[in-house]
């Protein structure tokens, strides 16, 4: 299963393409210094150049119309580049503050960089064309009273992006978690989906929400319930993808991974890692990636 070490080092984040070529991007440290990103072609093994100054968690990677793109924020500025050539562009914006989230989506057939500036009660969403760097629009969104953007990456499928948020319970018993779904073409929130916990992932049009004892699977655009799967343990990490027409989910607890097929009610496979996973990603061809403190591991899921 996970038999290959794609790269040694200490990794804290990883992402993979949801369609097309199997590509991956990971962030970690280099020679004891944090904030370095790198892309790989998972079929050929070719790697792009190191990208420095990558903040922990505040980056995105996707294959959008026009090619692969990495976006991140450094010193209050949003940057975008082709991660295989290193060609980089700094995006202009009028805010002298760092966005809460950076992501990638599609708008009118073009790839766009999406930056969300809080507070959640009166957030601003700013878009740039990922290919040209030109402004592509902006709109406001009200994510609710007593809410906070919880710092998870944006989850995108086409024109829809999901923002994970925490909202203070009215009875003072803690926070409840939900995903606000934004349509970047319409410039508005189209759904708000409460979940069992903070962990979320997107597999094409499907949203996966994980919490203690439960995996909740729903349609991203509408919130329609698709499945609920019982978890043996609360997961630390989560990934999902559409693989050969099936919604496949991977959950990680410590150094143990479980793979799930939404059509079944129990785990399909168990995978043991050499170290606990800090992040997981699943490409559309079934390639699984696990970022750990001892390296970036990869392998193909069994059919």
């Amino acid at each position: 299963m996970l038999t290959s070490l794609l790269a040694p080092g200490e990794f804290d984040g990883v992402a993979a393409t949801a369609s097309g070529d199997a590509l991956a991007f990971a962030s970690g440290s280099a020679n004891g210094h944090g904030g370095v990103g790198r892309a790989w072609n998972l079929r050929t093994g070719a790697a792009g150049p190191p990208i420095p100054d990558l903040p922990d968690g505040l980056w995105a990677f996707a294959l959008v119309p026009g090619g692969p793109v990495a976006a991140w924020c450094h010193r209050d500025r949003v940057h975008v580049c082709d991660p295989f050539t290193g060609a980089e562009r700094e995006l202009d914006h009028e805010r002298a503050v760092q966005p809460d989230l950076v992501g990638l989506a599609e708008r009118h057939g073009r790839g766009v960089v999406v930056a969300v500036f809080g507070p959640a009660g009166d957030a601003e969403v700013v878009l740039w064309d990922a290919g040209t760097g030109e402004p592509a629009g902006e709109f406001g969104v009200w994510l609710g009273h007593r809410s906070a953007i919880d710092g998870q990456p944006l989850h995108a499928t086409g024109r829809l992006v999901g923002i994970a948020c925490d909202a203070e319970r009215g009875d003072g018993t803690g926070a409840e978690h939900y995903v606000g779904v934004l349509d970047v073409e319409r410039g508005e929130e189209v759904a708000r989906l409460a979940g069992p916990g903070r962990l979320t992932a997107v597999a094409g049009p499907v949203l996966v929400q994980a919490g203690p004892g439960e995996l909740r699977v729903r349609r991203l655009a509408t919130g329609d319930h698709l499945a609920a799967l019982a978890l043996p343990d609360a997961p630390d990490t989560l990934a999902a993808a559409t693989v050969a027409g099936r919604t496949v989910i991977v959950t990680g607890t410590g150094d143990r991974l479980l793979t799930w097929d939404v059509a079944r009610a129990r785990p399909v496979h168990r995978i043991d890692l050499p170290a606990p996973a800090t992040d997981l990603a699943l490409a559309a061809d079934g390639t699984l990636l696990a970022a750990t403190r001892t390296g970036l591991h990869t392998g193909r899921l069994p059919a």
Side-chain angles (χ1 to χ4, degrees), residues 50 69 103 112 132 141 161 188 200 242 249 261 282 294:
V69 174
V112 290
T132 66
V141 61
V161 297
E188 63 182 4
T200 57
T242 302
I249 302 167
D261 186 321
L282 185 59
T294 60

Side-chain angles (χ1 to χ4, degrees), residues 150-166:
D150 78 0
Q152 287 198 51
L154 283 172
H155 300 296
T157 177
R159 60 196 275 180
L160 300 179
V161 297
I163 302 176
C165 297
D166 296 329

Side-chain angles (χ1 to χ4, degrees), residues 46-76:
I51 299 173
D53 301 323
L54 208 71
D56 182 17
L58 198 57
W59 59 266
F61 169 74
L63 183 63
V64 298
V69 174
W72 69 98
C73 187
H74 177 60
R75 293 180 179 172
D76 302 335

Side-chain angles (χ1 to χ4, degrees), residues 7-131:
E10 186 173 336
F11 290 89
D12 52 43
V14 63
T17 48
S19 61
D21 293 338
L23 310 175
F25 187 89
S27 63
S29 62
N31 299 322
H33 299 284
V36 177
R38 195 162 207 170
W40 286 266
N41 184 311
L42 299 176
R43 182 180 62 83
T44 65
I51 299 173
D53 301 323
L54 208 71
D56 182 17
L58 198 57
W59 59 266
F61 169 74
L63 183 63
V64 298
V69 174
W72 69 98
C73 187
H74 177 60
R75 293 180 179 172
D76 302 335
R77 310 300 294 180
V78 179
H79 297 251
V80 63
C81 81
D82 180 327
F84 288 97
T85 67
E88 181 183 334
R89 179 181 293 108
E90 183 179 282
L91 305 180
D92 290 328
H93 64 81
E94 299 175 353
R95 298 153 191 81
V97 295
Q98 181 167 287
D100 292 85
L101 295 171
V102 173
L104 292 157
E106 296 181 25
R107 182 175 183 268
H108 302 307
R110 301 277 298 180
V112 290
V113 180
V114 184
V116 180
F117 296 83
D122 191 17
E124 285 187 279
V125 182
V126 183
L127 312 174
W128 295 269
D129 188 289

Side-chain angles (χ1 to χ4, degrees), residues 189-285:
E189 184 183 52
V190 295
R192 184 169 297 184
L193 311 179
R198 287 187 173 186
L199 283 179
T200 57
V202 163
V206 171
L207 173 70
V208 180
Q209 298 167 296
E214 182 183 5
L215 273 175
R216 192 174 297 174
V217 186
R218 309 169 75 173
R219 197 163 300 282
L220 180 64
T222 62
D224 292 344
H225 174 85
L226 299 176
L229 308 175
L231 283 171
D233 300 294
D236 306 312
T237 50
L238 174 71
T242 302
V243 180
R246 299 174 295 121
T247 299
V248 178
I249 302 167
V250 182
T251 59
T253 304
D255 58 3
R256 183 189 68 186
L257 306 182
L258 296 177
T259 71
W260 308 73
D261 186 321
V262 168
R264 306 182 188 183
R266 59 183 60 186
V268 180
H269 301 286
R270 172 174 169 163
I271 305 166
D272 292 318
L273 294 174
T278 55
D279 197 14
L280 299 172
L282 185 59
D285 71 342

